[in-house]
Amino acid sequence: MTGALASLFGYGTEDAMASVYAALACSRTWLQLDHRMPADVYDELRNGIASTCRTGSSWSRLRERFGAPSILFGGTNPRYPKTLGYASERPQDPLICFHLWNDHDTHPEPVLVAVRCAHPGVSFRDTFTFVSAA
C-alpha cells in the first residue's frame, strides 16, 4: 500500500497511509471519530469533490468551508503534509479524505493535492481525484 501511494503522490505518504486504514475501520464502524457531519453537508462535500479539485484549496479554506475534520492525520503544524478525513452521520457513507501537501518554501500552509473517496468495486487508483495542474 505504501508503494502504491508513493507512486500516486511521489512523496512521503504517512498521513495518506493512515487514512486508508482509517477508511476501512470507518466502514466497519470501528473508528473513533471526533464527530460525524450532517448528511446534507457531507453530500455537498462529496458532490463537490471534482470542482474542489479543479479550483484547488488550502488547509484553512477546507476547514472554513466544511468545518473541522472528523479525523486529522498528521499534526497541526502548517509546515507538514496532512490528511483531513470527513465522515457522514450515515455509517454506510465512505470516509472522504483530503490529502494536503506543503513544500515549506512555496506555500504558507498545506494545499490540496487529491481527494479520496472509496467506492466498492472501484480500483484503488480510481478512488482518487487529483487537483488539476495550473
Side-chain angles (χ1 to χ4, degrees):
M1 188 60 61
T2 303
L5 286 166
S7 72
L8 290 171
F9 289 105
Y11 60 85
T13 58
E14 293 83 9
D15 54 303
M17 189 65 229
S19 74
V20 172
Y21 289 115
L24 292 169
C26 189
S27 71
R28 290 161 176 79
T29 66
W30 299 337
L31 186 63
Q32 291 289 359
L33 300 165
D34 292 338
H35 64 90
R36 289 183 174 269
M37 300 177 84
D40 60 330
V41 177
Y42 175 91
D43 290 342
E44 176 189 342
L45 182 150
R46 189 171 182 178
N47 293 332
I49 289 173
S51 67
T52 300
C53 285
R54 274 193 304 276
T55 58
S57 201
S58 66
W59 183 29
S60 61
R61 281 189 250 150
L62 288 167
R63 289 181 318 187
E64 184 178 298
R65 183 169 178 199
F66 300 115
S70 303
I71 190 165
L72 172 66
F73 304 98
T76 58
N77 187 326
R79 294 185 52 85
Y80 298 101
K82 56 193 78 288
T83 297
L84 311 178
Y86 289 91
S88 167
E89 65 188 0
R90 297 178 302 234
Q92 71 273 18
D93 288 336
L95 184 68
I96 298 174
C97 294
F98 288 81
H99 299 282
L100 303 150
W101 177 77
N102 195 354
D103 69 0
H104 310 297
D105 296 324
T106 309
H107 308 288
E109 65 177 337
V111 294
L112 182 66
V113 293
V115 179
R116 180 169 184 263
C117 184
H119 303 282
V122 175
S123 74
F124 180 71
R125 179 179 285 279
D126 291 338
T127 63
F128 288 89
T129 303
F130 287 89
V131 170
S132 303

